[in-house]
Amino acid sequence: MNKNERVLENELVKIIIFILLSYVGPIVGIGFSIYILNNSKMKDYSSWVKTLAMLSLGIQLLLILFAVVGWLMWVTI
């Protein structure tokens, strides 16, 4: 295995770990999703990386929105 293959393999492992971490929690997940999307503009990642990062970002934003709406409903009652 030459040096370029090892670098690409390490990069792929890093991206997979970041995608998994982007589903962990709302605040942390948004940070990792934004990091992946910013890096995907600089590097030529596959389309599945961008798709999973956008999906994670959407899910985390929905979770925060539902939490805020639930908290507001609890406070106003």
Side-chain angles (χ1 to χ4, degrees):
M1 186 183 295
N2 63 21
K3 185 176 180 179
N4 288 336
E5 289 176 351
R6 272 188 258 137
V7 168
L8 289 175
E9 185 177 307
N10 288 340
E11 190 72 24
L12 182 61
V13 169
K14 182 175 86 170
I15 289 301
I16 290 172
I17 290 172
F18 281 170
I19 286 176
L20 290 174
L21 287 173
S22 70
Y23 286 94
V24 171
I27 303 301
V28 176
I30 289 173
F32 281 115
S33 295
I34 291 172
Y35 177 78
I36 291 170
L37 290 172
N38 283 339
N39 274 348
S40 67
K41 292 177 186 173
M42 292 185 282
K43 298 178 182 174
D44 190 23
Y45 290 137
S46 298
S47 63
W48 64 270
V49 172
K50 296 175 189 174
T51 303
L52 285 177
M54 289 296 290
L55 182 66
S56 169
L57 186 63
I59 289 171
Q60 301 302 342
L61 289 174
L62 279 175
L63 286 174
I64 290 174
L65 177 69
F66 290 151
V68 168
V69 168
W71 180 77
L72 287 174
M73 290 179 74
W74 184 74
V75 168
T76 58
I77 291 180

